[in-house]
Amino acid sequence: MRYSQAAPRWLGRFGLDIEPHRIVVIANGNQSLASAILCNVVRGEAVLTAPLTYSGLKVLAFNHGFHLEPVESDDKGILPEAPEAAVAPTRAGSCICRVS
Protein backbone atom coordinates (compact mmCIF):
# COMPACT_ATOMS: atom_id res chain seq x y z
CA MET A 1 0.00 0.00 0.00
CA ARG A 2 2.87 2.40 0.76
CA TYR A 3 4.20 2.19 -2.81
CA SER A 4 0.76 2.81 -4.29
CA GLN A 5 0.54 5.99 -2.25
CA ALA A 6 4.10 7.15 -2.97
CA ALA A 7 3.87 6.55 -6.72
CA PRO A 8 1.30 9.31 -7.41
CA ARG A 9 3.49 11.84 -5.60
CA TRP A 10 6.52 10.77 -7.63
CA LEU A 11 4.56 10.81 -10.91
CA GLY A 12 3.18 14.24 -9.96
CA ARG A 13 6.69 15.65 -10.43
CA PHE A 14 6.24 14.92 -14.14
CA GLY A 15 2.84 16.59 -14.34
CA LEU A 16 0.83 13.38 -14.04
CA ASP A 17 -2.18 13.30 -11.73
CA ILE A 18 -2.95 9.65 -10.92
CA GLU A 19 -5.08 8.45 -8.03
CA PRO A 20 -3.49 5.82 -5.73
CA HIS A 21 -6.21 3.23 -6.42
CA ARG A 22 -5.18 3.26 -10.12
CA ILE A 23 -1.59 2.20 -9.31
CA VAL A 24 -0.56 -1.45 -9.41
CA VAL A 25 2.88 -2.29 -8.01
CA ILE A 26 4.43 -5.22 -9.84
CA ALA A 27 7.77 -6.89 -9.18
CA ASN A 28 9.10 -7.50 -12.69
CA GLY A 29 8.58 -7.26 -16.44
CA ASN A 30 7.03 -10.72 -16.79
CA GLN A 31 4.36 -9.89 -14.24
CA SER A 32 3.77 -6.49 -15.84
CA LEU A 33 3.23 -8.02 -19.27
CA ALA A 34 0.97 -10.75 -17.89
CA SER A 35 -1.13 -8.25 -15.91
CA ALA A 36 -1.58 -5.88 -18.85
CA ILE A 37 -2.52 -8.68 -21.22
CA LEU A 38 -4.85 -10.54 -18.89
CA CYS A 39 -6.72 -7.31 -18.11
CA ASN A 40 -7.27 -6.56 -21.80
CA VAL A 41 -7.36 -9.81 -23.80
CA VAL A 42 -10.13 -12.40 -23.79
CA ARG A 43 -9.87 -16.11 -24.57
CA GLY A 44 -9.91 -16.74 -28.31
CA GLU A 45 -8.90 -13.20 -29.22
CA ALA A 46 -6.04 -12.38 -31.58
CA VAL A 47 -3.14 -10.25 -30.36
CA LEU A 48 -0.91 -8.59 -32.94
CA THR A 49 2.84 -8.83 -32.43
CA ALA A 50 6.11 -8.87 -34.34
CA PRO A 51 6.95 -12.21 -35.99
CA LEU A 52 9.88 -12.63 -33.60
CA THR A 53 8.47 -11.93 -30.16
CA TYR A 54 9.18 -12.47 -26.48
CA SER A 55 8.92 -16.15 -25.49
CA GLY A 56 6.98 -15.23 -22.33
CA LEU A 57 4.25 -13.80 -24.55
CA LYS A 58 3.98 -17.12 -26.38
CA VAL A 59 3.60 -18.94 -23.05
CA LEU A 60 0.89 -16.49 -21.92
CA ALA A 61 -0.99 -17.01 -25.19
CA PHE A 62 -0.84 -20.77 -24.86
CA ASN A 63 -1.84 -20.84 -21.18
CA HIS A 64 -4.69 -18.30 -21.47
CA GLY A 65 -6.22 -19.25 -24.81
CA PHE A 66 -5.51 -16.29 -27.06
CA HIS A 67 -3.46 -16.43 -30.23
CA LEU A 68 -0.66 -14.30 -31.60
CA GLU A 69 -0.88 -12.87 -35.10
CA PRO A 70 2.41 -11.68 -36.61
CA VAL A 71 2.35 -8.34 -38.42
CA GLU A 72 4.72 -6.93 -40.99
CA SER A 73 8.02 -5.83 -39.47
CA ASP A 74 11.52 -4.81 -40.38
CA ASP A 75 14.82 -4.84 -38.47
CA LYS A 76 13.53 -2.02 -36.21
CA GLY A 77 10.24 -3.72 -35.31
CA ILE A 78 6.61 -3.50 -36.39
CA LEU A 79 6.00 -1.17 -39.34
CA PRO A 80 3.81 1.80 -38.27
CA GLU A 81 1.01 1.00 -40.73
CA ALA A 82 1.03 -2.77 -40.11
CA PRO A 83 -1.25 -3.02 -37.03
CA GLU A 84 -4.06 -1.04 -38.66
CA ALA A 85 -3.84 -3.19 -41.80
CA ALA A 86 -3.96 -6.39 -39.70
CA VAL A 87 -6.94 -5.53 -37.50
CA ALA A 88 -9.73 -6.27 -40.01
CA PRO A 89 -8.51 -9.68 -41.23
CA THR A 90 -7.51 -10.92 -37.76
CA ARG A 91 -10.17 -9.12 -35.68
CA ALA A 92 -7.40 -8.41 -33.16
CA GLY A 93 -8.21 -6.30 -30.14
CA SER A 94 -4.66 -5.69 -28.93
CA CYS A 95 -1.15 -5.14 -30.23
CA ILE A 96 2.03 -5.82 -28.27
CA CYS A 97 5.03 -4.02 -29.70
CA ARG A 98 8.48 -2.86 -28.75
CA VAL A 99 9.05 0.87 -29.05
CA SER A 100 12.37 1.83 -30.60
Side-chain angles (χ1 to χ4, degrees):
M1 186 68 148
R2 265 190 346 211
Y3 296 111
S4 295
Q5 293 170 346
R9 287 193 301 273
W10 181 77
L11 292 167
R13 296 201 246 159
F14 305 100
L16 300 171
D17 183 22
I18 300 174
E19 299 171 31
H21 73 275
R22 299 186 60 89
I23 303 277
V24 178
V25 179
I26 297 177
N28 63 46
N30 289 333
Q31 291 175 351
S32 299
L33 182 61
S35 296
I37 289 173
L38 296 177
C39 286
N40 293 291
V41 177
V42 297
R43 183 172 293 280
E45 187 173 56
V47 174
L48 304 177
T49 187
L52 295 175
T53 193
Y54 174 58
S55 62
L57 183 56
K58 293 178 181 181
V59 171
L60 276 171
F62 179 80
N63 288 337
H64 296 284
F66 61 90
H67 61 279
L68 303 177
E69 289 288 340
V71 295
E72 192 175 357
S73 302
D74 62 15
D75 62 331
K76 293 184 176 114
I78 294 174
L79 298 177
E81 63 280 359
E84 186 174 356
V87 167
T90 63
R91 301 177 70 181
S94 300
C95 180
I96 304 293
C97 59
R98 174 181 58 90
V99 178
S100 60

